[in-house]
């Protein structure tokens, strides 16, 4: 397992991402690269029946401590949605495609976010690497949306092809997902 103990990533929820969270009513969400403090849990768990976190570092808050480059025990397309925020840029470039392939194997839908090299804070973290994966190459398997911002945020959404999906300023909307699918309202805190 690779060491990521030296990175300086501040683990807190970024309001900027609120309009690209998975749609409410998902069966399951896997938070990959959740961080030991699991900052997105409070919000993500209100959007699904089952929320789980995964990180390479162990923590009482992390459900799965795994290195995706080594593969996982998850079944193909086991997770309805996967949230992979501020993680991909920490993967060594020679392993980035392997990492993305494994996330794609276990996920029906994915939200990716990562800083781009021209973002002012990119070089503040020695663990940041330029993402070199051709995200468009996954269009054979997913509906791929590039929502990369001009100010330096790589944002990509991979949606399953068998359901209508739209991405707009109000968020991600996908056929079959509704708050009505949730059995009870979950507390954000």
């Amino acid at each position: 397992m690779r060491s990521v103990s030296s990175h300086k990533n501040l683990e807190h929820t970024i309001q900027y991402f609120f309009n690209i969270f998975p749609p409410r009513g998902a069966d399951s969400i896997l938070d990959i690269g959740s961080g030991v403090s699991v900052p997105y849990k409070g919000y993500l768990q209100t959007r699904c029946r089952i929320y789980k976190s995964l990180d390479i570092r162990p923590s009482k808050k992390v459900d799965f401590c795994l290195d995706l480059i080594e593969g996982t025990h998850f079944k193909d397309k086991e997770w309805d949605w996967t949230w992979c925020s501020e993680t991909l840029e920490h993967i060594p470039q020679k392993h980035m495609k392997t990492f993305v392939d494994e996330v794609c194997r276990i996920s029906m839908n994915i939200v990716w976010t990562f800083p781009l090299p021209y973002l002012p804070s990119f070089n503040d973290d020695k663990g940041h690497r330029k993402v070199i994966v051709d995200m468009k190459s996954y269009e054979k398997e997913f509906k791929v949306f590039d929502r990369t911002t001009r100010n330096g945020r790589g944002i990509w959404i991979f949606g399953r092809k068998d359901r209508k999906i739209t991405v707009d300023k109000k968020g991600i909307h996908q056929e079959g997902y509704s708050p009505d699918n949730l059995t009870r309202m979950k507390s954000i805190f």
Side-chain angles (χ1 to χ4, degrees), residues 9-174:
N9 192 20
L10 299 175
E11 298 171 346
H12 56 77
T13 303
I14 302 170
Q15 290 182 340
Y16 187 83
F17 295 142
F18 283 172
N19 70 339
I20 58 160
F21 278 117
R24 285 187 42 91
D27 184 54
S28 60
I29 295 177
L30 180 62
D31 183 357
I32 293 178
S34 64
V36 296
S37 64
V38 193
Y40 293 104
K41 180 179 182 175
Y43 195 76
L44 290 172
Q45 71 182 357
T46 67
R47 308 187 78 72
C48 60
R49 289 187 325 100
I50 301 162
Y51 166 88
K52 296 291 179 182
S53 58
L54 182 151
D55 202 88
I56 196 169
R57 298 166 292 170
S59 164
K60 290 179 182 178
K61 294 181 179 183
V62 172
D63 297 303
F64 303 106
C65 183
L66 299 169
D67 184 344
L68 269 72
I69 293 168
E70 298 172 2
T72 68
H73 62 279
F74 300 124
K75 294 181 244 163
D76 290 355
K77 306 301 179 196
E78 183 168 337
W79 298 96
D80 200 13
W81 276 88
T82 295
W83 174 255
C84 192
S85 181
E86 307 297 309
T87 302
L88 187 53
E89 72 277 9
H90 293 280
I91 306 300
Q93 288 180 329
K94 68 180 183 177
H95 297 297
M96 281 183 183
K97 184 165 182 351
T98 301
F99 180 89
V100 172
D101 287 349
E102 180 64 7
V103 173
C104 290
R105 183 189 71 77
I106 65 174
S107 310
M108 288 188 261
N109 303 279
I110 309 159
V111 175
W112 304 93
T113 75
F114 49 87
L116 299 174
Y118 58 87
L119 186 69
S121 63
F122 184 86
N123 292 319
D124 290 347
D125 188 330
K126 292 180 192 174
H128 282 177
R129 295 164 185 88
K130 179 180 177 183
V131 172
I132 59 168
V133 177
D134 177 7
M135 302 302 256
K136 286 240 179 232
S137 70
Y138 291 88
E139 288 181 323
K140 294 175 188 145
E141 186 177 355
F142 296 97
K143 292 178 187 171
V144 175
F145 298 85
D146 178 0
R147 293 297 184 253
T148 298
T149 67
R150 283 183 242 157
N151 67 348
R153 294 262 170 226
I155 300 173
W156 291 81
I157 296 128
F158 290 9
R160 56 193 282 185
K161 285 192 164 194
D162 64 338
R163 290 195 179 172
K164 182 180 176 185
I165 184 171
T166 57
V167 181
D168 59 29
K169 290 180 181 180
K170 292 184 180 180
I172 300 171
H173 315 280
Q174 191 173 42

